[in-house]
Amino acid sequence: MKQSELDVKEPSTRLRQDLLDRIVRLIHDEAMQPGARLNENRLAQELGVSRTPIRAALDQLAAGGFVGRRPNRGVELIALPPPPAPPPSRSTDDELLVRIAHDHERQSLPLDISEAELMKRYGVSRQRVRDALARLEELDIVERKAGYGWHFADLLQDDGANQESYRFRMLVEPAAILEPGFKLRPGWAEDMRERHAAALAAARAGQWSASASIAFFETNAAFHEGIGAASGNRYLAHAVRRQSRLRRLSNYDWTYGRDRVEISCREHMEILDRLEAADFEVAAALLRRHLLNASVV
């Protein structure tokens, strides 16, 4: 089935399409294979929605022949759906996201805020505010309030929480590499090398922009989340993804300079070399050292 056959045409079902994309992305992030089970309760908890829209999205995947409902087994993955297309890059919106990230990191934005307040604060149109909020909502950074306005999720906003996050990650991420079923997803290593090379090229050329800052964090997150997914342990994979979500907005406002970009990329590639050589003990030790170094920047 082609990607276009997964698309939802009607504008009124945009949220359903977004949820479908998130489920498909989760399937690929966790390197699920045919035969894997998709638990509605777990998906609802993971994606922060009720079971009803989850069931509708799974029904849509079933209609496409990607999943099937099995007696006494629930929903089973039959074939891998094509990954959702990445959204087009929009540097103007990226600049607004970085400004929001900067203000949120410094706690100068209230946790509850309206579109009108954001329009006034940043001097932008309602459409730009709505586009930014939609992207933040997709990343589980903000949520629409039941009555009026938006609410920022609980993120890492102080040094104590940030250090606790790094200590937690030093426990979890090296352990993911040492799981008995650890296996890199096909094509992941090549993708990581290309994305890190692009980040290095932007940093060395002095072309660091809002878009480059966001792209670098997403590359960083994809590297760590890919290791979590490769563990074959859904709980470890979930823990790594959640840490990325908590760190995302504060890291969009990248302030550590070109040198730190180069160090991070070099350390990631060193870890990747060891992973590809199946030298997992060394790779786990290098990952722990990498996280320790990052925690003291």
Side-chain angles (χ1 to χ4, degrees):
M1 175 179 255
K2 297 179 181 179
Q3 174 66 43
S4 59
E5 294 179 77
L6 273 178
D7 292 340
V8 179
K9 304 296 185 182
E10 303 87 347
S12 61
T13 58
R14 182 67 253 171
L15 291 178
R16 189 188 305 171
Q17 179 66 48
D18 290 342
L19 181 59
L20 178 64
D21 287 347
R22 292 170 69 190
I23 292 174
V24 171
R25 193 172 293 116
L26 186 67
I27 289 171
H28 285 275
D29 287 347
E30 295 195 358
M32 293 184 185
Q33 297 300 318
R37 290 186 60 193
L38 296 170
N39 182 278
E40 290 181 3
N41 286 331
R42 178 188 167 239
L43 288 172
Q45 182 178 17
E46 182 91 2
L47 301 177
V49 298
S50 70
R51 288 179 60 186
T52 299
I54 291 290
R55 189 174 298 116
L58 291 176
D59 286 344
Q60 191 172 348
L61 286 173
F66 296 104
V67 305
R69 296 190 181 274
R70 306 300 191 205
N72 303 318
R73 284 184 54 82
V75 180
E76 181 179 308
L77 184 64
I78 297 174
L80 286 177
S89 176
R90 296 174 293 180
S91 59
T92 302
D93 289 347
D94 287 344
E95 291 170 6
L96 179 57
L97 286 189
V98 169
R99 292 173 68 187
I100 292 173
H102 179 90
D103 290 344
H104 181 67
E105 174 73 4
R106 286 148 188 79
Q107 301 184 39
S108 61
L109 276 180
L111 292 180
D112 295 299
I113 198 163
S114 69
E115 293 177 3
E117 289 171 319
L118 289 170
M119 290 167 59
K120 181 177 180 181
R121 182 183 185 94
Y122 298 111
V124 297
S125 68
R126 185 177 296 275
Q127 188 58 54
R128 280 194 63 193
V129 165
R130 286 180 172 172
D131 287 345
L133 289 170
R135 292 177 67 186
L136 294 174
E137 184 179 32
E138 183 179 348
L139 296 168
D140 295 326
I141 292 172
V142 300
E143 58 185 3
R144 192 186 299 273
K145 295 174 66 176
Y148 173 76
W150 295 79
H151 175 75
F152 279 92
D154 182 24
L155 304 174
L156 301 175
Q157 284 190 280
D158 59 70
D159 290 339
N162 191 53
Q163 287 302 308
E164 289 172 16
S165 171
Y166 273 112
R167 288 196 295 273
F168 177 75
R169 294 174 65 200
M170 281 187 274
L171 292 172
V172 169
E173 294 188 29
I177 294 176
L178 300 178
E179 279 291 283
F182 186 89
K183 183 179 180 181
L184 295 178
R185 175 174 57 81
W188 179 80
E190 292 80 1
D191 179 55
M192 286 297 98
R193 293 188 190 282
E194 291 177 5
R195 292 175 65 172
H196 282 74
L200 276 174
R204 290 170 177 170
Q207 298 171 349
W208 205 252
S209 62
S211 294
S213 178
I214 291 174
F216 178 66
F217 175 79
E218 294 302 339
T219 295
N220 185 295
F223 179 83
H224 290 275
E225 290 178 22
I227 288 175
S231 71
N233 185 316
R234 69 190 67 182
Y235 298 101
L236 289 173
H238 171 75
V240 177
R241 285 198 308 275
R242 177 166 173 75
Q243 286 298 306
S244 291
R245 183 182 73 81
L246 292 172
R247 297 182 303 117
R248 181 166 270 107
L249 197 57
S250 63
N251 279 267
Y252 274 0
D253 183 21
W254 181 262
T255 58
Y256 303 112
R258 186 185 77 177
D259 289 347
R260 186 60 217 170
V261 173
E262 297 211 16
I263 290 170
S264 180
C265 289
R266 184 175 68 246
E267 291 178 352
H268 279 187
M269 292 302 98
E270 187 179 10
I271 295 165
L272 183 56
D273 288 341
R274 294 300 92 211
L275 291 176
E276 290 186 297
D279 195 352
F280 298 135
E281 292 282 351
V282 173
L286 290 174
L287 179 54
R288 189 182 189 285
R289 186 186 69 181
H290 166 69
L291 293 169
L292 179 62
N293 290 342
S295 72
V296 297
V297 171

